[in-house]
Amino acid sequence: MTQSTPAIVILGQGSLATARRIQQVYPAAQIHGLAGRVEGADRTYQEFGATVRELYQQDTPIIALCAAGIVIRTLAPLLLEKGAEPPVLAVAEDGNAVVPLLGGLGGVNVMARDIAAGLQVAAAITTSGELRFGTCLLNPPSGYALGDLELGKRFVSDLLAGHSVRIEGAAPWLDQAQLPEDPQAQRSIHVGSAERVACANELLIYPRSVAVAISAEVADLPNVVRAALQQANLAVQALACLLAAETEMASTNLHEAAMELGVPLRFVSVLNDIEATALAAVPQAKVVIANDMAIAIAEQPLDVAQIGRARGRVAVIGLGPGAAELMVPAVKAELARATDVLGYETYVRMAGPFRDDQIQHCTDNREEMQRARHAFRLAAEGRSVIVVSSGDPGVFAMAAAVLEALHESDDPAWHSVDLEILPGVSASLATAAQAGAPLGHDFCVMSLSDNLKPWSIIEKRLDLAAEADLALAFYNPISRARPWQLGRALEIVAQHRTPQTPVVLGRDIGRPGQTLRTTTLGALTADQVDMRTMVLIGSSTTCTFPRATGGDWVYTPRWYGEKPIV
Ligand code: SAH
């Protein structure tokens, strides 16, 4: 089973030392500390319950340093839902107790033993089968699939009740187990790739040792593959991967088939006939032809990562303004799967920490097109690349550069890459939300940077947008190299707006040391703004009123002209 990186969740400063010791067992795991209570964690969170439930729903293994009861109460509402069941453990703050709570089939007991070994205590394993036999029979190692869970549970309880067992086939991981073995036993653990009828006396475990070569032209692929396996008397659970030609890499038909069958898709250069192709991809295998498909059957589980190569991927992601809570879950998942991370150093650092096996390629902020091409070169080799932007990648950021690089290229390998743009919360929206709703009606988003466009077009757009009475959001408002442009922009806006027009200045929103100020167009001067500031200028209807907690709320009503009577 491929285990994703666990999250270590702590509630108080006193747990940090234990959390760091657990981190030595899982170097890629991050420590999530409660904001205001924990200094020096890798990530902070605001609310324990919401955080733990979110991790659980994302199938992230959870190591919580707190009372088991707290974790149980927190997750209880989710337990009746079908869906993810990652390993969940409670560990005592002082590291003296390690209690596996959930995720028995996800390897929680293995984790408990590993953590306990790291903390030099004994794990509080309560699973009877595991205690008796020293292994969880229902959770075979990666490369093997259990036939049927419900039958399996009955099988284990039979063994617990005193029945003996024999092992048929190669089960190297059971060598260390303390099973009541007897060559004459009625009950058997059967390991093999052949299809077998499930029965109560047999625990079926399939080695994922079979690969099927497929073609994008074939309709209804999943069923055709299932039929081929059946014809060859192979269990569908023994399927380790599908093989396809490199030239068909972008075919949705292939990817949907792999998704439905729940196996990876690997690409190979095609030889004269399908049999030769399958054999070249899986040299140690025996190849049979069934239902017009070539099936490679190995003795051992296949190491899929060594077969052909994967389709490369470029994901252009938006981190949001900075705070982890404002990053969309799809981006978090993408950060975990990437092999390579490209971006301006500040943003790459913001996106981390990364595992040792993830390569960081930090570049200067100005080298956008070079970075975009680099991403495709890596992905064309089969790597899974992330291009990082702050906020949203489509707002004055990398997404357009990546698409431009692809548009300019006629390399089929670049066009075969799996390209996806994952959105983020843009600085204007994050700032607006903190101020209230200054962008609550029509608004216009502009970058004041004249690095990539002439200043004359900026002046023209400012003039027209201000005249059109749109609220305005200015990105890149000022920099050392562009000192006078903001002053000029404000002069143009002032020709169409009163000096009382509300202005919001958000600096480093969602990052440490963030500031939010409300002022007016008349009082705004360029020296109050720097390149880390978002400038929001209201329209003629934007208004403010005091908040009970101090400061002001700013909003632009939904209506325009006459206020509607509701
Ligand atoms: N793609 C980014 C914008 C990049 S342009 C996004 O969607 O947010 C960079 C400009 O965005 C900065 O000059 C600043 O004006 C604004 N900006 C980015 N992050 C910000 C933040 N956390 N707080 C305030 N402004 C920010």
Side-chain angles (χ1 to χ4, degrees):
M1 170 161 307
T2 49
Q3 191 80 84
S4 53
T5 310
I8 305 168
V9 185
I10 64 174
L11 283 156
Q13 198 67 30
S15 310
L16 190 59
T18 306
R20 291 275 177 234
R21 289 171 68 198
I22 297 173
Q23 208 172 27
Q24 287 173 5
V25 182
Y26 303 102
Q30 295 192 5
I31 299 174
H32 300 238
L34 180 57
R37 292 284 187 78
V38 183
E39 288 274 320
D42 304 323
R43 300 227 154 187
T44 55
Y45 63 86
Q46 303 295 332
E47 221 237 301
F48 179 79
T51 306
V52 169
R53 282 189 290 272
E54 189 186 319
L55 288 166
Y56 185 87
Q57 282 167 324
Q58 289 168 357
D59 211 10
T60 306
I62 300 167
I63 304 164
L65 274 74
C66 62
I70 297 179
V71 187
I72 292 168
R73 261 182 241 287
T74 303
L75 291 176
L78 301 183
L79 297 183
L80 287 177
E81 290 173 16
K82 277 222 161 69
E85 188 177 314
V88 179
L89 302 100
V91 177
E93 276 192 2
D94 62 4
N96 270 321
V98 180
V99 190
L101 295 173
L102 292 167
L105 299 175
V108 74
N109 288 332
V110 176
M111 283 182 71
R113 285 186 215 279
D114 291 345
I115 295 170
L119 297 173
Q120 292 171 321
V121 294
I125 307 280
T126 53
T127 324
S128 10
E130 176 118 8
L131 282 174
R132 183 87 70 84
F133 311 132
T135 180
C136 176
L137 286 175
L138 304 180
N139 182 28
S142 78
Y144 295 87
L146 180 71
D148 183 284
L149 180 58
E150 290 313 312
L151 283 174
K153 285 181 182 167
R154 233 173 68 199
F155 186 90
V156 171
S157 62
D158 283 353
L159 297 200
L160 285 169
H163 287 276
S164 54
V165 68
R166 67 200 148 82
I167 299 174
E168 292 174 358
W173 73 98
L174 292 179
D175 289 351
Q176 308 298 322
Q178 299 97 47
L179 291 168
E181 278 190 68
D182 174 354
Q184 308 305 323
Q186 260 185 8
R187 283 171 181 69
S188 63
I189 297 171
H190 182 92
V191 186
S193 54
E195 184 159 32
R196 277 175 92 86
V197 183
C199 81
N201 280 346
E202 236 180 23
L203 183 73
L204 291 178
I205 294 175
Y206 299 99
R208 296 186 190 276
S209 56
V210 172
V212 179
I214 58 172
S215 152
E217 258 103 80
V218 178
D220 194 20
L221 265 172
N223 282 328
V224 175
V225 170
R226 286 188 195 107
L229 290 170
Q230 200 175 21
Q231 241 182 54
N233 190 34
L234 292 165
V236 71
Q237 291 98 324
L239 186 63
C241 68
L242 297 175
L243 304 171
E246 273 169 0
T247 48
E248 295 185 331
M249 209 174 247
S251 152
T252 28
N253 190 24
L254 294 181
H255 291 280
E256 280 169 13
M259 190 98 83
E260 186 177 331
L261 290 164
V263 293
L265 182 55
R266 306 291 298 186
F267 294 93
V268 292
S269 40
V270 176
L271 304 174
N272 294 341
D273 61 276
I274 52 170
E275 202 170 341
T277 303
L279 198 59
V282 196
Q284 72 276 37
K286 164 180 105 185
V287 174
V288 300
I289 304 285
N291 207 17
D292 289 335
M293 308 219 132
I295 306 178
I297 309 157
E299 294 283 325
Q300 302 291 324
L302 294 175
D303 183 356
V304 173
Q306 301 300 320
I307 298 175
R309 61 188 187 83
R311 181 187 186 196
R313 177 170 164 89
V314 171
V316 192
I317 62 156
L319 296 174
E325 301 83 53
L326 293 184
M327 187 191 287
V328 306
V331 167
K332 285 185 197 168
E334 195 65 43
L335 287 169
R337 77 188 262 196
T339 58
D340 296 78
V341 187
L342 273 69
Y344 177 46
E345 194 178 345
T346 314
Y347 301 146
V348 172
R349 228 181 290 129
M350 220 163 93
F354 293 100
R355 298 185 304 269
D356 288 348
D357 61 311
Q358 296 179 298
I359 305 173
Q360 299 173 42
H361 309 260
C362 297
T363 48
D364 187 86
N365 205 7
R366 280 176 283 273
E367 298 165 8
E368 286 193 352
M369 289 306 290
Q370 266 153 279
R371 192 185 298 147
R373 290 188 205 105
H374 188 191
F376 282 108
R377 278 197 299 276
L378 290 169
E381 290 167 16
R383 305 190 64 86
S384 189
V385 185
I386 277 189
V387 181
V388 187
S389 288
S390 80
D392 182 90
V395 179
F396 310 122
M398 283 305 297
V402 165
L403 286 164
E404 195 176 336
L406 183 60
H407 193 186
E408 283 173 358
S409 162
D410 51 16
D411 185 340
W414 287 26
H415 286 270
S416 296
V417 161
D418 177 19
L419 171 63
E420 195 172 355
I421 323 293
L422 300 176
V425 177
S426 193
S428 55
L429 305 183
T431 304
Q434 292 207 2
L439 308 179
H441 194 81
D442 299 344
F443 65 97
C444 168
V445 166
M446 283 187 64
S447 166
L448 294 194
S449 167
D450 56 352
N451 288 339
L452 299 168
K453 59 187 168 186
W455 178 252
S456 57
I457 192 80
I458 299 179
E459 287 208 357
K460 182 173 174 190
R461 287 178 178 173
L462 279 168
D463 188 46
L464 293 172
E467 186 189 344
D469 202 20
L470 296 164
L472 304 168
F474 293 160
Y475 288 76
N476 301 312
I478 200 164
S479 77
R480 231 170 287 142
R482 297 180 286 106
W484 55 265
Q485 283 85 336
L486 176 63
R488 177 71 193 120
L490 295 177
E491 274 172 31
I492 296 170
V493 176
Q495 289 165 8
H496 304 278
R497 303 276 155 97
T498 67
Q500 292 76 40
T501 304
V503 169
V504 173
L505 301 178
R507 185 174 190 272
D508 280 342
I509 292 299
R511 299 179 191 173
Q514 68 160 30
T515 57
L516 184 77
R517 288 178 57 186
T518 308
T519 178
T520 61
L521 189 57
L524 177 63
T525 52
D527 62 326
Q528 296 160 349
V529 175
D530 67 6
M531 63 185 288
R532 282 146 67 182
T533 310
M534 182 76 232
V535 181
L536 303 180
I537 300 179
S539 70
S540 66
T541 57
T542 306
C543 52
T544 67
F545 63 95
R547 312 187 189 207
T549 50
D552 289 311
W553 286 116
V554 183
Y555 74 101
T556 307
R558 297 287 310 279
W559 48 268
Y560 200 78
E562 296 267 317
K563 183 179 169 81
I565 300 154
V566 200

